[in-house]
């Protein structure tokens, strides 16, 4: 089992920045890929950015050039640097981790609110 705890959410004005962090615990050696998802009110959860255990990152077009995903291979900490935030980035952001045997784990989510 893997537990994921997000931190770093909050409220910011448009154009501002936030840095989200995700701290895994438990069977962290089983983690292969990690990702950030978000879910806005009334919308489906969508992937924002993902990163493999080899460091290959994939960024959604909607945030490309503004968001950066990074992963500390020593402790599996996952980060999402969010710059030039827009009101449409307002959502609950979730950390996700996938293990080699196909298990998926989710954090409890952290709220990001961007005001215009």
């Amino acid at each position: 089992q893997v537990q994921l705890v997000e931190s770093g959410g909050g409220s910011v004005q448009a154009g501002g920045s936030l840095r989200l962090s995700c701290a895994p615990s438990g069977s962290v050696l089983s983690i292969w890929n990690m990702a950030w998802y978000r879910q806005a009110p009334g919308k489906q959860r969508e992937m924002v950015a993902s990163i493999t255990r080899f460091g290959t990152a994939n960024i959604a077009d909607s945030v490309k050039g503004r968001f950066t995903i990074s992963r500390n291979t020593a402790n599996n900490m996952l980060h999402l640097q969010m710059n030039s935030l827009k009101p449409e980035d307002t959502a609950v952001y979730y950390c996700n981790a996938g293990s080699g045997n196909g298990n998926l784990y989710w954090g409890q989510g952290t709220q990001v609110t961007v005001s215009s």
Side-chain angles (χ1 to χ4, degrees), residues 4 11 21 30-31 34 40 49 52 64 79 86 88 92-93 102 105-106:
L4 303 170
S11 297
S21 296
S30 70
I31 296 174
M34 300 186 77
T52 70
K64 195 168 291 184
H79 303 284
K86 303 176 180 180
E88 50 263 42
V92 178
Y93 284 71
Y105 304 96
W106 294 92

Side-chain angles (χ1 to χ4, degrees), residues 8 10-20 38 63 66-67 80-91 93 112-116:
S11 297
V12 65
Q13 289 191 328
S17 298
L18 285 173
R19 179 178 170 86
L20 304 183
R38 68 184 181 186
V63 303
R66 300 187 296 122
F67 290 11
L80 185 68
Q81 179 66 43
M82 304 185 295
N83 299 327
S84 302
L85 282 162
K86 303 176 180 180
E88 50 263 42
D89 295 319
T90 295
Y93 284 71
V112 171
T113 302
V114 185
S115 58
S116 57

Side-chain angles (χ1 to χ4, degrees), residues 53-64:
R53 57 181 175 155
F54 303 113
T56 301
N58 182 37
I59 309 293
D61 287 343
S62 59
V63 303
K64 195 168 291 184

Side-chain angles (χ1 to χ4, degrees), residues 13 36 44-45 52 69 71 77 89 109:
Q13 289 191 328
W36 289 99
Q44 288 188 330
R45 191 173 295 190
T52 70
I69 189 170
R71 180 176 176 179
M77 284 285 292
D89 295 319

